[in-house]
Amino acid sequence: MRIPLSWLREFAQVPADATAEDVMADLVKVGFEEEEVHRPTDTLKGPVVVGQVLSLVKEPQSNGKTINWCQVRVVPEGQEQTLTGKGIDPSGVQGIVCGAHNFVEGDKVVVTLPGAVLPGDFHISARKTYGHMSAGMIASVRELGIGDDHDGILVLSRIGLDPEIGTDAMELLGLYDQAAEINVTPDRGYAFSIRGVAREYAHATGTACTDPASRVNAPAGLQGGYGVKLNDDAPIYGKPGCDRFVARTVRGVDPTRPTPPWMSSRLRLAGIRSISLPVDISNYVMLELGQPNHCYDLDKLSGDIVVRRAVAGEKITTLDDKERTLHPEDLLITDDSGAIGIAGVMGGAHTEVSDSTTSILVEAAHFDEVSIARSRRRHKLPSEASKRFERGVDWHVADVAAQRVVDLLLELAGGTADATGTDVGTAPDAVTIELPADYASKRIGIDFTEEQVTTSLVDLGATVEKNDGGYRVTAPSWRHDLETKEDLSEEVARLVGYDNIPATLPVAPPGRGLSRTQQQKRRVVQALADAGLTEVLSYPFVSKAANDTFGVAEEGAERPALKLANPISEEQGFLRTSILPGLIEVARRNHSRGFRDVALYEAGSVFLPEGKIGTESIPPLGVRPADEVLEGLFDGVPHQPLHIAAVLTGHDSPAAATHTPRAWDWADALDVARLIADVLGVELVVSQGSHQAFHPGRAARLALRSGDVVGYAGELHPKLLAAHDMPARSVAMEINVEALFEAAADVIVAKHISGFPVATQDVALVVPQDVPADDVLAALREGAGVLLEDVALFDVYSGPGIEEGKKSLAFGLRFRADDRTLTADEASEARSAAVAVAAERCGAVQR
C-alpha cells in the first residue's frame, strides 16, 4: 500500500516536516514492514514554472520536420526575474525550440528552465539547435514523469488550471508530495486504505485521527432506487456471495471534465494511473475508505441488476477487452442483457462509462472473500478491488463510499443526484469474544494493566464490557481478523509496543529435549556424513513407472501410490514410495555436469497408502473441524515411514600420482547399510536378494532377526543404469530406518574390551553354490560359542580344484577370553565346533 503523505495528513496528525521514511518508521512499531519511498523530487528538480506562450513561429526544416520557435513568458509582466543561472533570461521571456504542435499562442504551459533535471537524469541547459539558442523546454506529462502521454505538451487549461505566470509548477502539480509504501499482510486488509493507515499511524504515535467515513453524510434507509436483487443459489460454504449492495444514481454529469491535479497526483503516488474523471473518483474513494466501487453507464443498463452465480459456459468481455468463459462458481453482476461484471474483480466492457455518458449508476457492494479470491485466481485477473475484497471489506462502509463517490461527481463532474437509492442486504452478526482478565499477560509474558488492555482494544475500535471473568469484546466491523482471545492478546501486545516486551530466553524444562527417534535419526545422518557421503534433498514427486520399479521387489507387481491432484508436472504426478528415483536423478545430474565420483544419501519420508485414503468431503473453511472429523482426516493420511537411501558412482577417492582409486562396488553399498545398523545397535541379517531395480546376482536383502525385510543393497540393474545415462556398476542401498528405530534397544551398552591377546583361526568350507554365505557365517558364529569375538568372510572361490556346482568360502575367526590368554588348542577346539555346526546345517566340508 502506497500512502501519499498529503492525503494521510488530512486524517492523521503527521508533522509537516515528516518524511516518508519517518512515517514508515512509525508504522513499523505497529507491525507493518517498510517497502519503498516514492518521491518525485528524487528524479525531478526545478526550476520548473508556469509559462505563457507569447509567440509561436513554425519553421520547416530540411529533414522534413517542422519546429516551433517560441517566446515564452515565465515571469508576470512588469516583474523582475528572480531566478539566476546560465541561460535564464533576466527579462523573464525565454526563447525555446519545441517540436510538439498541440498548443497555440496564449496557452499556459509547464516550462523547465536551464538548471532543471528531468526523470532519467536529463539535464536542461541552454543549447543551440535548429539555428536558435533554446533556453529551456516546454514539457509533456511523460517528460515530467507524471504520466505516459507523450503526444504533446501539457496545456494547463485542459486540466482545469489557470495559474499565474511564474507559479512553481511542481507545487501546482503536487510533485513535492511523497508516498511511503508498506507491506500489508493478508490478515490486515483494512490497511489497504488511507482510513486504515491513519488509524494505525495514530496507534503508533499516540495521536488522534479522524475517520474519513465520519466526514461523509450518507442518508439512512435508502429506498426507491435502481432495482437490485441478490440471488445466490449456490453459496460457497453456505455463505452468500453478496450480502449488501448499495446503488446511487447521478444524472447530467460531464465525464470529459479533467481530473483535478490534486486527485491525479495522489492517485499517481498511490500507484494508480489516471484514466478519466469518473474512474479516477471511483479509485480515489476506494483508496480513501477501502471500499471498492464501480460506475456504470446508466443508459446502457437494461432491467434490474441481479447478483447471481454464472451459468456453465457463460461469457463476458471485461474492461480489459478480453472475452472470458465463466465458471459456475463465479459471482456475477447481471442485467437483462446478461453478465455486466465479475463481482468484486472487474466490470464488463458493455456498461463502461465513456465520454458520451451522462447518467451514472454508482455501485458499492460487499462480497464474500472466498468467492472473489477464487474468481481472481481462476481468471488470473488481479485488480485493486479484488485485492481488498478477498482480504475483507467493512460491511458498514458501503453506503458511505457510494455517497462519497456521488459527492465528488457532483463537485467535479456536475449533474444532480437522485434523492432515492438502493440498499439491500443483511448485516452480519458482530463478533463477540470473551477475553479472560489475565489471558493477555499469560500469553505474551508481560503484566498488562487493566487500563492498557482496555485502552488498546478501544483504540482498535472495539467495544469492551467488563464481566466477572474479564472482558466481553465486540470486534470492530473492519477487523475481520479478530475472532479469538489469542487475536486480541496479540493486538494488545502490538499497541502497547513490541519494544516493551522483555527479551528473555526460555529455560528448557528438566528431563526434556530431543525425542528418542530424533536422537536416533541425528546419529545416523551424522555417521553417514562422517563416513564421507554427501546429504542431498530430492523431490518427492515421481512417475508411476518409478514407483513400480523401485517400490516393489517383484517385477510386474504394482505398488499402490498417491496420485497428486495438481502436480507440478504430469510426468511426476505421484508421491514417492522409494527415495531412490529422486536420488538417482540427482546423481545423474551431477554426472552429466562432470562430477563422476559421488557418494550421496538422503533421509526422508516415503508415502505408502494402504486401505482408505483421504475423506469423502472437505471440512468447511473458517471453523475448526470437530474431533471426529479430525480423526477421520488423520486416519486417511497414508503411512509415511522414514527411509534412508544412498547412491555411489565412480570411485571412492580421487586419483593421484601414487594412488589408484578403487571403484565402488556392491560391498560398499552393503557397508553403508551395516553402518546405519551398527550406529543404532541393531543386528542386520544380510542374505542373497532379488529386486527388479538391482543386478540379478549382486543384490543383498536386508532383514531383522525377526525376518522382517527392511531394505536392499547392491549393484543397480544394468538396463536401469543405461536408461538413466548413469555409469555402469553404480551401486545403491535403501533401508527402512523407522523399522530399525523400533528394533533398537533403548540403551546401547558398549561391549567389554578384553585386555588379553586375540587368537586367530582361518577355515575354508566347501558348500553348494546355492547356499548363502550368510547362512554359513551364522552357523559358524553359533557353533564357536562364547569365545568367538568376530567372524568374517574374506574369500569366495569356485573353479579348478572345487567340485562343479560348489564354492569355497574362506572365513577368518577371532577368539578371545575375558580372563585369560587362550591356548592354540582352545582356539582350534572352538573352530572345530563351529565347522561341525556348519557341516550339519549347510553341508559344509572343510578343504
Side-chain angles (χ1 to χ4, degrees):
M1 174 68 185
R2 295 185 183 183
I3 311 143
L5 265 58
S6 65
W7 205 348
L8 183 63
R9 285 191 176 97
E10 285 191 21
F11 308 107
Q13 297 178 6
V14 182
D17 59 348
T19 65
E21 290 86 351
D22 297 331
V23 171
M24 289 194 297
D26 287 326
L27 292 174
V28 164
K29 299 175 185 177
V30 287
F32 291 100
E33 294 180 11
E34 298 176 328
E35 287 291 334
E36 194 174 351
V37 170
H38 301 272
R39 189 161 30 222
T41 54
D42 287 344
T43 57
L44 176 65
K45 301 184 185 303
V48 181
V49 300
V50 173
Q52 186 173 35
V53 179
L54 300 179
S55 65
L56 181 154
V57 179
K58 296 184 179 297
E59 297 181 355
Q61 304 298 312
S62 59
N63 59 5
K65 183 178 180 180
T66 298
I67 60 97
N68 298 310
W69 172 238
C70 306
Q71 297 297 312
V72 184
R73 179 174 292 281
V74 294
V75 176
E77 190 172 1
Q79 295 186 18
E80 294 184 0
Q81 173 64 274
T82 58
L83 298 174
T84 59
K86 186 177 181 181
I88 297 180
D89 197 310
S91 70
V93 176
Q94 300 288 128
I96 299 174
V97 172
C98 182
H101 301 284
N102 68 320
F103 65 102
V104 296
E105 292 179 0
D107 281 342
K108 290 184 178 179
V109 293
V110 175
V111 180
T112 57
L113 296 173
V117 180
L118 299 184
D121 198 30
F122 184 75
H123 292 255
I124 303 298
S125 60
R127 62 191 181 92
K128 190 169 184 178
T129 180
Y130 294 106
H132 298 283
M133 181 60 72
S134 180
M137 186 174 75
I138 306 174
S140 68
V141 294
R142 186 174 179 182
E143 289 163 341
L144 293 171
I146 59 175
D148 297 326
D149 183 12
H150 197 51
D151 294 335
I153 295 306
L154 172 59
V155 179
L156 295 175
S157 62
R158 294 174 191 166
I159 61 172
L161 296 177
D162 185 20
E164 183 182 18
I165 298 172
T167 300
D168 186 341
M170 292 179 62
E171 183 175 356
L172 180 71
L173 298 174
L175 297 177
Y176 290 122
D177 200 0
Q178 52 188 301
E181 184 175 358
I182 57 172
N183 179 35
V184 178
T185 54
D187 60 326
R188 301 173 74 178
Y190 66 91
F192 275 118
S193 66
I194 298 298
R195 181 192 189 202
V197 174
R199 186 179 291 110
E200 290 296 329
Y201 183 83
H203 295 333
T205 58
T207 56
C209 71
T210 302
D211 186 349
S214 67
R215 295 186 177 181
V216 181
N217 185 20
L222 289 171
Q223 292 182 348
Y226 199 92
V228 176
K229 299 176 184 176
L230 307 183
N231 184 22
D232 186 359
D233 56 2
I236 298 176
Y237 300 132
K239 189 174 181 181
C242 178
D243 56 8
R244 190 179 191 187
F245 196 108
V246 177
R248 298 291 304 278
T249 302
V250 182
R251 305 177 190 274
V253 299
D254 180 4
T256 63
R257 288 189 184 181
T259 301
W262 61 266
M263 180 178 286
S264 59
S265 170
R266 288 179 175 180
L267 290 174
R268 182 177 62 254
L269 273 177
I272 293 182
R273 180 170 57 93
S274 178
I275 298 174
S276 67
L277 180 58
V279 175
D280 291 349
I281 289 173
S282 176
N283 287 331
Y284 188 86
V285 173
M286 175 185 66
L287 292 174
E288 186 171 81
L289 297 174
Q291 168 68 58
N293 56 87
H294 188 69
C295 292
Y296 300 93
D297 187 327
L298 182 63
D299 296 329
K300 295 178 182 178
L301 295 174
S302 58
D304 290 348
I305 286 178
V306 179
V307 184
R308 61 168 174 83
R309 298 287 172 181
V311 178
E314 193 171 0
K315 297 180 183 296
I316 184 176
T317 301
T318 46
L319 287 172
D320 56 0
D321 291 326
K322 292 184 180 179
E323 185 178 73
R324 302 179 187 276
T325 301
L326 301 168
H327 186 277
E329 273 192 357
D330 287 330
L331 189 69
L332 302 180
I333 311 298
T334 69
D335 64 3
D336 290 349
S337 67
I340 59 174
I342 303 176
V345 178
M346 185 173 284
H350 173 64
T351 57
E352 180 181 8
V353 172
S354 65
D355 288 350
S356 61
T357 298
T358 58
S359 297
I360 291 176
L361 183 73
V362 178
E363 166 209 306
H366 186 269
F367 300 114
D368 172 47
E369 296 90 336
V370 175
S371 289
I372 304 308
R374 290 190 178 182
S375 291
R376 189 264 302 169
R377 287 195 295 267
R378 184 179 299 116
H379 296 291
K380 298 179 176 61
L381 193 57
S383 66
E384 291 293 332
S386 65
K387 179 165 66 177
R388 287 161 176 80
F389 276 127
E390 62 186 270
R391 289 165 173 80
V393 171
D394 185 359
W395 189 94
H396 295 280
V397 82
D399 58 331
V400 176
Q403 182 64 45
R404 177 68 164 143
V405 174
V406 169
D407 292 343
L408 287 172
L409 283 172
L410 296 180
E411 177 187 347
L412 303 177
T416 58
D418 286 2
T420 58
T422 305
D423 190 351
V424 295
T426 304
D429 295 332
V431 177
T432 301
I433 308 164
E434 296 293 335
L435 178 66
D438 59 349
Y439 186 81
S441 296
K442 291 181 177 179
R443 176 101 177 155
I444 306 301
I446 181 174
D447 291 330
F448 294 112
T449 65
E450 179 181 329
E451 182 182 1
Q452 286 177 317
V453 173
T454 56
T455 301
S456 297
L457 297 178
V458 169
D459 286 347
L460 285 177
T463 301
V464 182
E465 300 176 11
K466 286 198 66 175
N467 56 27
D468 294 339
Y471 314 95
R472 179 177 290 107
V473 182
T474 302
S477 58
W478 56 85
R479 290 300 301 269
H480 302 274
D481 56 315
L482 301 182
E483 298 179 338
T484 65
K485 57 181 181 290
E486 290 82 4
D487 297 332
L488 296 180
S489 299
E490 292 171 6
E491 289 300 302
V492 172
R494 184 172 72 90
L495 297 190
V496 171
Y498 293 133
D499 53 339
N500 292 321
I501 300 175
T504 56
L505 291 174
V507 179
R512 296 187 181 182
L514 295 177
S515 67
R516 176 175 179 265
T517 300
Q518 290 171 329
Q519 292 174 339
Q520 289 172 319
K521 180 182 177 182
R522 289 196 177 190
R523 287 204 305 270
V524 169
V525 297
Q526 186 61 51
L528 293 176
D530 292 342
L533 281 75
T534 301
E535 185 175 14
V536 298
L537 292 175
S538 63
Y539 283 112
F541 314 122
V542 299
S543 64
K544 183 178 185 299
N547 273 338
D548 291 344
T549 300
F550 291 91
V552 288
E554 300 80 15
E555 187 172 358
E558 185 173 347
R559 157 67 77 185
L562 284 176
K563 190 176 190 305
L564 298 170
N566 186 24
I568 296 176
S569 167
E570 289 296 335
E571 295 179 357
Q572 284 81 39
F574 291 81
L575 287 175
R576 66 187 179 191
T577 57
S578 165
I579 295 179
L580 281 176
L583 201 56
I584 289 173
E585 174 60 25
V586 174
R588 184 203 64 78
R589 190 180 301 113
N590 278 273
H591 184 267
S592 68
R593 285 159 174 74
F595 297 97
R596 305 301 174 92
D597 304 323
V598 295
L600 309 176
Y601 77 97
E602 179 179 359
S605 296
V606 296
F607 306 86
L608 308 179
E610 295 178 0
K612 181 181 178 182
I613 300 297
T615 56
E616 295 179 356
S617 62
I618 300 175
L621 298 176
V623 294
R624 185 183 186 277
D627 291 342
E628 58 271 16
V629 175
L630 290 175
E631 290 177 5
L633 290 172
F634 287 128
D635 291 341
V637 174
H639 184 43
Q640 302 173 44
L642 180 68
H643 281 208
I644 289 182
V647 172
L648 299 87
T649 70
H651 299 83
D652 65 346
S653 57
T658 58
H659 169 70
T660 301
R662 180 183 64 84
W664 298 111
D665 61 23
W666 63 268
D668 294 300
L670 189 57
D671 285 343
V672 174
R674 282 179 168 146
L675 173 61
I676 294 171
D678 289 345
V679 168
L680 296 174
V682 176
E683 184 178 357
L684 204 60
V685 178
V686 180
S687 60
Q688 181 71 37
S690 175
H691 192 291
Q692 59 178 322
F694 288 85
H695 191 289
R698 300 172 187 151
R701 184 181 67 174
L702 312 175
L704 301 174
R705 276 295 164 192
S706 63
D708 295 333
V709 178
V710 293
Y712 289 86
E715 185 177 312
L716 290 169
H717 200 290
K719 291 183 178 179
L720 186 147
L721 293 174
H724 287 78
D725 196 24
M726 289 275 288
R729 310 298 292 270
S730 295
V731 298
M733 60 75 56
E734 182 167 6
I735 193 167
N736 181 356
V737 287
E738 190 168 290
L740 298 187
F741 292 163
E742 295 175 358
D746 290 338
V747 178
I748 300 175
V749 180
K751 294 181 179 179
H752 173 70
I753 300 176
S754 173
F756 294 93
V758 67
T760 59
Q761 297 275 336
D762 293 341
V763 62
L765 303 175
V766 178
V767 297
Q769 280 282 4
D770 59 352
V771 173
D774 191 66
D775 290 352
V776 180
L777 189 144
L780 290 173
R781 183 182 287 110
E782 183 175 338
V786 296
L787 294 179
L788 181 68
E789 184 178 80
D790 185 45
V791 56
L793 174 70
F794 65 84
D795 185 55
V796 180
Y797 173 74
S798 59
I802 302 298
E803 184 179 347
E804 187 176 352
K806 294 190 177 182
K807 60 184 177 183
S808 172
L809 304 176
F811 297 90
L813 294 87
R814 293 164 54 91
F815 299 99
R816 195 193 315 251
D818 289 338
D819 57 351
R820 67 189 187 281
T821 299
L822 293 178
T823 64
D825 291 341
E826 286 177 309
S828 297
E829 184 179 348
R831 185 193 66 176
S832 298
V835 171
V837 174
E840 178 183 351
R841 292 188 180 178
C842 305
V845 177
Q846 187 171 351
R847 287 180 66 185

